[in-house]
Amino acid sequence: MTRQFFVGGNFKMNGTVKQITDIISHLNDAKLDPKTGLLLQEFPFLQYFLLPCLSSSPLTPQPTNPLHFNKTTSNSLIEVVIAPPSLYLLLAREHLRPGLEVAAQNCFDKPNGAFTGEISVEQLLSSGIKWTLVGHSERRVILNETDEFTASKTKAAIEGGMSVIFCCGESLEQREAGKTIAVVEAQLKAVADQVKDWSKIVIAYEPIWAIGTGKVATTSQAQEVHEAIRKWLHSSVSAEAAEKTRILYGGSVSEKNCKELAKEKDIDGFLVGGASLKPAFVDIINSHL
């Protein structure tokens, strides 16, 4: 089983109209893997027609078997999703080139109603937004969102027809106490208690101590947790979920460390913070080539 490489860009509370437009223009003009996007994943038969046309690119030689892709080679598709502030979701969706998707940074777990300041799954979908982040540590820590609440939002998004980038990770204190795996598994268990279908969930492991600090987990530290998450999926959800669910690494990912991280067998991509606002984001997207 091969898993599609995934790169998400979380802009957080950054950017003006001009700055967001400039970032999108850079992405639109960037030289990405020509097969970046969802088209071939959703319509596999098109590979027989499109891959011969793309094979002239030095970045993407035509595979021997056009139905086989592997995240460790340049023949794999790349799924790219950016998450601008909610004010700019429509702006991003309108101007972002086809094949790249837009995500909300948050959604609420209730239908439309008297919930001031929130945004519903229905509203996002009606605006062409198919993805949402849930459970980012900044919302867990600053806004005191519990494991149960993040799980409830995940359930609402999945049942409403969206895909979810579910964030999990430990604090420095928890890591130093040897509780990393227990903390991450508890965060995931809260979701498993409410959600049975994991086909629309991408997990993003983001150690809190590495987010925005310039510190980054070593490749072995990251791989250790990713492997533990996959084992947990196998034992607590299903063998299929363990095989198919993509697990991203997040936490000061940059163009300097992404290539080594991308080589690890259980790291299926990245959720990028500050670096997604910079031109080097393109290098991270292409890090597995």
Side-chain angles (χ1 to χ4, degrees):
M1 172 66 195
T2 56
R3 294 180 294 273
Q4 183 185 25
F5 199 78
F6 187 109
V7 178
N10 178 14
F11 294 2
K12 307 191 179 185
M13 198 175 71
N14 290 301
T16 61
V17 169
K18 183 181 185 307
Q19 290 169 336
I20 297 296
T21 302
D22 288 346
I23 292 170
I24 291 173
S25 294
H26 180 71
L27 280 175
N28 289 344
D29 295 338
K31 186 177 182 181
L32 303 179
D33 182 333
K35 295 187 291 295
T36 293
L38 291 171
L39 182 62
L40 299 184
Q41 182 191 44
E42 293 180 349
F43 306 103
F45 68 89
L46 290 180
Q47 296 172 83
Y48 292 110
F49 302 96
L50 295 181
L51 285 176
C53 299
L54 296 172
S55 61
S56 60
S57 168
L59 289 177
T60 55
Q62 186 177 355
T64 302
N65 177 359
L67 289 179
H68 174 73
F69 293 96
N70 188 298
K71 87 178 186 71
T72 60
T73 75
S74 61
N75 293 326
S76 61
L77 295 167
I78 311 170
E79 189 165 5
V80 178
V81 179
I82 61 169
S86 57
L87 183 62
Y88 304 128
L89 286 171
L90 285 175
L91 174 72
R93 184 59 283 165
E94 180 181 354
H95 293 285
L96 193 63
R97 79 195 215 187
L100 308 186
E101 290 294 337
V102 178
Q105 294 180 14
N106 182 48
C107 70
F108 201 49
D109 67 337
K110 301 292 190 296
N112 296 338
F115 304 106
T116 302
E118 293 294 342
I119 187 168
S120 73
V121 171
E122 181 183 357
Q123 290 171 327
L124 290 169
L125 284 173
S126 69
S127 299
I129 309 303
K130 303 175 183 177
W131 285 87
T132 183
L133 272 66
V134 173
H136 194 280
S137 64
E138 288 156 4
R139 298 195 65 86
R140 292 178 186 268
V141 175
I142 299 172
L143 300 177
N144 297 313
E145 292 191 355
T146 64
D147 291 348
E148 292 69 25
F149 185 39
T150 59
S152 180
K153 291 198 292 186
T154 301
K155 178 183 178 182
I158 297 298
E159 291 183 349
M162 296 190 73
S163 296
V164 171
I165 302 171
F166 180 80
C167 305
C168 58
E170 83 285 6
S171 67
L172 181 60
E173 180 182 12
Q174 290 165 333
R175 170 163 280 277
E176 291 178 342
K179 298 179 179 179
T180 294
I181 305 302
V183 168
V184 171
E185 288 182 350
Q187 293 168 342
L188 293 169
K189 181 181 182 301
V191 177
D193 287 343
Q194 298 192 43
V195 177
K196 302 309 176 186
D197 180 9
W198 285 63
S199 63
K200 289 190 173 182
I201 297 177
V202 171
I203 298 170
Y205 167 60
E206 296 193 298
I208 299 173
W209 49 271
I211 298 176
T213 63
K215 298 178 180 179
V216 63
T218 64
T219 54
S220 59
Q221 286 176 323
Q223 169 58 26
E224 178 186 16
V225 180
H226 282 233
E227 183 178 20
I229 291 173
R230 204 168 300 285
K231 288 180 178 178
W232 178 88
L233 285 168
H234 190 279
S235 62
S236 301
V237 181
S238 69
E240 182 181 23
E243 187 177 28
K244 293 184 177 180
T245 301
R246 289 170 291 180
I247 307 172
L248 317 180
Y249 174 76
S252 296
V253 175
S254 71
E255 72 280 11
K256 297 178 181 179
N257 57 36
C258 59
K259 284 188 177 292
E260 287 303 310
L261 288 164
K263 293 177 183 177
E264 296 297 324
K265 67 183 179 68
D266 289 303
I267 296 180
D268 303 311
F270 305 108
L271 181 58
V272 185
S276 66
L277 303 169
K278 304 173 183 178
F281 185 47
V282 172
D283 297 326
I284 299 174
I285 293 172
N286 290 330
S287 60
H288 80 309
L289 296 178

